[in-house]
Amino acid sequence: MRRAIGNARARLSSKIAYRAIPFALLLLALAVLFYFSVEVGEGDTLAWDQAFLLALRHADDVALPLGPAWITTTMVNFTSLGGVAVLLFITLATIGLLLVSRRPVEALFLCVALAGGWLSSNTLKLWAARPRPDVVTHLAAVGDASFPSGHAMVSAATYLALAIVASRFLSAPAQKAYIFMVAGTLICTIGVSRIYLGVHYPTDVLFGWCAGSLWTFACWLTFRRFFRHRSDGDAFR
Protein backbone atom coordinates (compact mmCIF):
# COMPACT_ATOMS: atom_id res chain seq x y z
CA MET A 1 0.00 0.00 0.00
CA ARG A 2 2.76 2.39 0.93
CA ARG A 3 4.63 1.51 -2.23
CA ALA A 4 1.53 2.23 -4.33
CA ILE A 5 1.06 5.59 -2.60
CA GLY A 6 4.73 6.39 -3.13
CA ASN A 7 4.52 5.52 -6.81
CA ALA A 8 1.40 7.65 -7.20
CA ARG A 9 3.13 10.60 -5.56
CA ALA A 10 6.17 10.13 -7.79
CA ARG A 11 4.00 10.07 -10.92
CA LEU A 12 2.16 13.17 -9.75
CA SER A 13 5.41 15.01 -9.05
CA SER A 14 6.77 14.04 -12.47
CA LYS A 15 3.56 15.20 -14.14
CA ILE A 16 3.66 18.54 -12.35
CA ALA A 17 7.32 19.04 -13.24
CA TYR A 18 6.65 18.07 -16.87
CA ARG A 19 3.98 20.75 -17.11
CA ALA A 20 5.74 23.38 -15.00
CA ILE A 21 9.20 23.30 -16.61
CA PRO A 22 8.11 24.72 -20.02
CA PHE A 23 6.30 27.61 -18.34
CA ALA A 24 9.28 28.23 -16.05
CA LEU A 25 11.55 28.37 -19.08
CA LEU A 26 9.07 30.72 -20.73
CA LEU A 27 9.20 33.09 -17.76
CA LEU A 28 13.00 32.94 -17.73
CA ALA A 29 13.13 33.78 -21.42
CA LEU A 30 10.79 36.72 -20.84
CA ALA A 31 13.07 38.01 -18.09
CA VAL A 32 16.11 37.73 -20.37
CA LEU A 33 14.32 39.57 -23.18
CA PHE A 34 13.24 42.32 -20.81
CA TYR A 35 16.83 42.76 -19.58
CA PHE A 36 18.06 42.78 -23.17
CA SER A 37 15.53 45.46 -24.14
CA VAL A 38 16.59 47.63 -21.20
CA GLU A 39 20.26 47.35 -22.23
CA VAL A 40 19.37 48.39 -25.78
CA GLY A 41 17.18 51.22 -24.53
CA GLU A 42 20.02 52.60 -22.43
CA GLY A 43 22.39 52.53 -25.40
CA ASP A 44 24.80 50.01 -23.91
CA THR A 45 24.93 47.99 -27.14
CA LEU A 46 25.18 50.90 -29.58
CA ALA A 47 28.97 50.87 -30.01
CA TRP A 48 29.02 47.16 -30.81
CA ASP A 49 26.01 47.49 -33.12
CA GLN A 50 27.60 50.29 -35.12
CA ALA A 51 30.95 48.51 -35.36
CA PHE A 52 29.23 45.41 -36.75
CA LEU A 53 27.39 47.39 -39.42
CA LEU A 54 30.55 49.23 -40.46
CA ALA A 55 32.41 45.91 -40.73
CA LEU A 56 29.98 44.93 -43.51
CA ARG A 57 30.75 48.03 -45.59
CA HIS A 58 33.82 49.30 -47.45
CA ALA A 59 35.98 51.45 -45.21
CA ASP A 60 36.19 54.27 -47.76
CA ASP A 61 32.49 54.25 -48.67
CA VAL A 62 29.82 53.12 -46.18
CA ALA A 63 27.25 53.08 -48.99
CA LEU A 64 28.94 50.05 -50.56
CA PRO A 65 28.41 46.67 -48.85
CA LEU A 66 31.10 44.04 -48.93
CA GLY A 67 30.85 41.36 -51.61
CA PRO A 68 29.65 41.29 -55.21
CA ALA A 69 26.47 42.99 -56.36
CA TRP A 70 24.51 39.73 -56.55
CA ILE A 71 24.71 39.36 -52.77
CA THR A 72 22.89 42.65 -52.31
CA THR A 73 20.24 41.57 -54.81
CA THR A 74 19.86 38.25 -53.00
CA MET A 75 19.49 39.97 -49.64
CA VAL A 76 16.79 42.27 -51.05
CA ASN A 77 14.92 39.22 -52.33
CA PHE A 78 15.18 37.40 -49.02
CA THR A 79 14.16 40.43 -46.98
CA SER A 80 10.90 40.63 -48.93
CA LEU A 81 9.99 37.17 -47.60
CA GLY A 82 9.76 38.72 -44.14
CA GLY A 83 7.46 41.54 -45.16
CA VAL A 84 3.98 41.71 -43.70
CA ALA A 85 2.29 41.42 -47.11
CA VAL A 86 4.12 38.20 -47.99
CA LEU A 87 3.64 36.69 -44.53
CA LEU A 88 -0.04 37.61 -44.54
CA PHE A 89 -0.60 36.05 -47.96
CA ILE A 90 1.18 32.81 -47.03
CA THR A 91 -0.63 32.57 -43.71
CA LEU A 92 -4.08 33.30 -45.14
CA ALA A 93 -3.52 30.78 -47.94
CA THR A 94 -2.52 28.14 -45.40
CA ILE A 95 -5.44 29.01 -43.12
CA GLY A 96 -7.79 28.61 -46.07
CA LEU A 97 -6.35 25.17 -46.82
CA LEU A 98 -6.69 24.15 -43.17
CA LEU A 99 -10.30 25.30 -43.03
CA VAL A 100 -11.14 23.41 -46.20
CA SER A 101 -9.44 20.38 -44.64
CA ARG A 102 -11.53 20.86 -41.47
CA ARG A 103 -8.58 21.71 -39.24
CA PRO A 104 -9.89 24.82 -37.42
CA VAL A 105 -7.53 24.51 -34.44
CA GLU A 106 -4.42 24.73 -36.61
CA ALA A 107 -5.99 27.61 -38.54
CA LEU A 108 -6.65 29.49 -35.31
CA PHE A 109 -3.11 28.77 -34.13
CA LEU A 110 -1.62 30.32 -37.28
CA CYS A 111 -3.90 33.33 -36.99
CA VAL A 112 -2.90 33.95 -33.38
CA ALA A 113 0.81 33.46 -34.12
CA LEU A 114 0.86 35.98 -36.97
CA ALA A 115 -1.46 38.56 -35.40
CA GLY A 116 0.19 38.37 -31.99
CA GLY A 117 3.69 38.57 -33.43
CA TRP A 118 2.80 41.60 -35.55
CA LEU A 119 1.00 43.43 -32.72
CA SER A 120 3.81 42.69 -30.26
CA SER A 121 6.43 43.91 -32.71
CA ASN A 122 4.65 47.20 -33.34
CA THR A 123 3.99 47.74 -29.64
CA LEU A 124 7.66 47.22 -28.81
CA LYS A 125 8.68 49.60 -31.61
CA LEU A 126 6.47 52.33 -30.15
CA TRP A 127 7.82 51.67 -26.65
CA ALA A 128 11.52 51.59 -27.58
CA ALA A 129 11.38 54.28 -30.30
CA ARG A 130 14.93 53.43 -31.36
CA PRO A 131 16.11 55.36 -34.44
CA ARG A 132 17.29 53.47 -37.47
CA PRO A 133 21.05 53.04 -37.99
CA ASP A 134 22.68 56.18 -39.36
CA VAL A 135 26.29 55.01 -39.66
CA VAL A 136 25.68 53.27 -43.00
CA THR A 137 23.48 53.94 -46.00
CA HIS A 138 20.17 52.09 -46.05
CA LEU A 139 19.81 49.72 -48.99
CA ALA A 140 16.08 49.15 -48.43
CA ALA A 141 13.16 51.45 -47.77
CA VAL A 142 12.15 51.82 -44.10
CA GLY A 143 9.72 54.03 -42.25
CA ASP A 144 9.28 52.98 -38.64
CA ALA A 145 11.42 52.47 -35.55
CA SER A 146 14.39 50.12 -35.48
CA PHE A 147 13.90 48.00 -32.35
CA PRO A 148 12.93 45.25 -32.65
CA SER A 149 13.24 44.14 -36.25
CA GLY A 150 9.70 43.53 -37.41
CA HIS A 151 10.92 41.35 -40.26
CA ALA A 152 12.90 39.17 -37.86
CA MET A 153 10.21 38.97 -35.18
CA VAL A 154 7.12 38.42 -37.32
CA SER A 155 8.87 36.02 -39.71
CA ALA A 156 10.15 33.99 -36.74
CA ALA A 157 6.66 33.82 -35.25
CA THR A 158 4.98 32.98 -38.56
CA TYR A 159 7.39 30.54 -40.20
CA LEU A 160 7.92 28.68 -36.93
CA ALA A 161 4.14 28.37 -36.54
CA LEU A 162 3.88 27.13 -40.13
CA ALA A 163 6.57 24.54 -39.40
CA ILE A 164 4.68 23.37 -36.31
CA VAL A 165 1.48 22.96 -38.31
CA ALA A 166 3.27 21.21 -41.18
CA SER A 167 4.97 18.80 -38.78
CA ARG A 168 1.56 17.67 -37.53
CA PHE A 169 0.90 16.13 -40.94
CA LEU A 170 4.19 14.23 -40.94
CA SER A 171 5.09 11.09 -39.03
CA ALA A 172 8.81 10.49 -39.60
CA PRO A 173 11.15 12.42 -37.22
CA ALA A 174 13.51 13.13 -40.13
CA GLN A 175 10.68 14.82 -42.05
CA LYS A 176 9.77 16.97 -39.06
CA ALA A 177 13.41 17.88 -38.46
CA TYR A 178 13.75 18.92 -42.10
CA ILE A 179 10.69 21.19 -41.90
CA PHE A 180 12.07 22.99 -38.86
CA MET A 181 15.53 23.21 -40.43
CA VAL A 182 14.10 24.91 -43.52
CA ALA A 183 12.03 27.30 -41.40
CA GLY A 184 15.02 28.13 -39.22
CA THR A 185 17.26 28.76 -42.22
CA LEU A 186 14.67 31.08 -43.77
CA ILE A 187 14.16 32.98 -40.51
CA CYS A 188 17.91 33.44 -40.03
CA THR A 189 18.44 34.56 -43.63
CA ILE A 190 15.69 37.17 -43.39
CA GLY A 191 17.20 38.60 -40.22
CA VAL A 192 20.73 38.64 -41.67
CA SER A 193 19.43 40.45 -44.74
CA ARG A 194 18.12 43.29 -42.56
CA ILE A 195 21.57 43.75 -41.03
CA TYR A 196 23.38 43.48 -44.37
CA LEU A 197 21.09 46.09 -45.92
CA GLY A 198 21.89 48.44 -43.05
CA VAL A 199 18.32 49.00 -41.91
CA HIS A 200 18.67 47.27 -38.54
CA TYR A 201 21.26 46.88 -35.82
CA PRO A 202 22.26 43.30 -34.97
CA THR A 203 20.56 43.59 -31.57
CA ASP A 204 17.30 44.55 -33.29
CA VAL A 205 17.40 41.29 -35.21
CA LEU A 206 18.59 39.13 -32.30
CA PHE A 207 15.76 40.40 -30.13
CA GLY A 208 13.27 39.93 -32.95
CA TRP A 209 14.32 36.32 -33.48
CA CYS A 210 14.06 35.52 -29.78
CA ALA A 211 10.80 37.38 -29.19
CA GLY A 212 9.07 35.95 -32.26
CA SER A 213 10.12 32.40 -31.45
CA LEU A 214 9.10 32.87 -27.83
CA TRP A 215 5.67 34.11 -28.85
CA THR A 216 5.01 31.08 -31.06
CA PHE A 217 6.33 28.76 -28.35
CA ALA A 218 3.91 30.34 -25.86
CA CYS A 219 1.06 29.91 -28.35
CA TRP A 220 2.03 26.27 -28.86
CA LEU A 221 2.02 25.61 -25.10
CA THR A 222 -1.36 27.30 -24.75
CA PHE A 223 -2.95 25.35 -27.58
CA ARG A 224 -1.49 22.11 -26.27
CA ARG A 225 -3.02 22.88 -22.89
CA PHE A 226 -6.54 23.68 -24.09
CA PHE A 227 -6.88 21.58 -27.25
CA ARG A 228 -5.01 18.43 -26.30
CA HIS A 229 -7.96 16.20 -25.44
CA ARG A 230 -10.39 16.97 -28.24
CA SER A 231 -12.35 13.99 -29.47
CA ASP A 232 -12.91 15.12 -33.04
CA GLY A 233 -9.46 14.17 -34.31
CA ASP A 234 -8.17 17.76 -34.13
CA ALA A 235 -6.26 17.48 -30.86
CA PHE A 236 -3.27 19.80 -30.64
CA ARG A 237 -0.10 17.98 -29.56
Side-chain angles (χ1 to χ4, degrees):
M1 184 66 178
R2 290 180 179 178
R3 179 179 296 180
I5 294 176
N7 292 337
R9 287 178 177 176
R11 287 194 298 269
L12 180 60
S13 299
S14 299
K15 189 175 182 179
I16 293 174
Y18 176 77
R19 292 185 177 182
I21 287 176
F23 290 98
L25 292 175
L26 186 63
L27 291 175
L28 177 61
L30 285 172
V32 172
L33 286 179
F34 178 75
Y35 174 78
F36 187 27
S37 64
V38 171
E39 290 292 303
V40 171
E42 293 177 350
D44 295 337
T45 65
L46 185 60
W48 178 84
D49 276 328
Q50 292 179 340
F52 195 97
L53 289 179
L54 289 171
L56 298 176
R57 300 298 174 97
H58 288 277
D60 55 345
D61 189 354
V62 295
L64 294 177
L66 297 177
W70 66 264
I71 294 182
T72 302
T73 302
T74 300
M75 290 298 174
V76 171
N77 291 335
F78 269 109
T79 206
S80 64
L81 297 177
V84 174
V86 174
L87 293 175
L88 183 62
F89 177 82
I90 294 174
T91 303
L92 289 178
T94 307
I95 288 175
L97 176 61
L98 291 170
L99 292 176
V100 170
S101 304
R102 298 183 179 180
R103 309 287 297 203
V105 174
E106 284 92 342
L108 179 60
F109 172 70
L110 282 181
C111 183
V112 171
L114 173 62
W118 181 80
L119 288 173
S120 299
S121 173
N122 281 273
T123 301
L124 288 169
K125 282 179 179 290
L126 292 174
W127 173 72
R130 188 186 199 186
R132 293 280 178 166
D134 57 2
V135 294
V136 296
T137 303
H138 297 170
L139 302 180
V142 291
D144 54 2
S146 185
F147 182 87
S149 167
H151 278 65
M153 184 170 175
V154 183
S155 67
T158 304
Y159 288 123
L160 183 56
L162 287 168
I164 290 174
V165 170
S167 68
R168 288 168 53 77
F169 294 90
L170 304 173
S171 57
Q175 294 174 330
K176 296 183 179 184
Y178 179 78
I179 288 293
F180 282 101
M181 182 184 68
V182 171
T185 301
L186 181 57
I187 292 167
C188 289
T189 306
I190 291 171
V192 169
S193 73
R194 304 303 285 172
I195 300 172
Y196 186 85
L197 296 175
V199 295
H200 276 295
Y201 293 111
T203 48
D204 299 337
V205 172
L206 287 172
F207 186 94
W209 280 337
C210 295
S213 301
L214 183 64
W215 169 253
T216 298
F217 179 64
C219 292
W220 175 72
L221 286 177
T222 303
F223 273 71
R224 280 196 63 186
R225 173 66 177 84
F226 292 101
F227 295 99
R228 189 172 185 177
H229 302 294
R230 290 172 62 97
S231 60
D232 58 358
D234 201 17
F236 203 93
R237 299 182 180 88

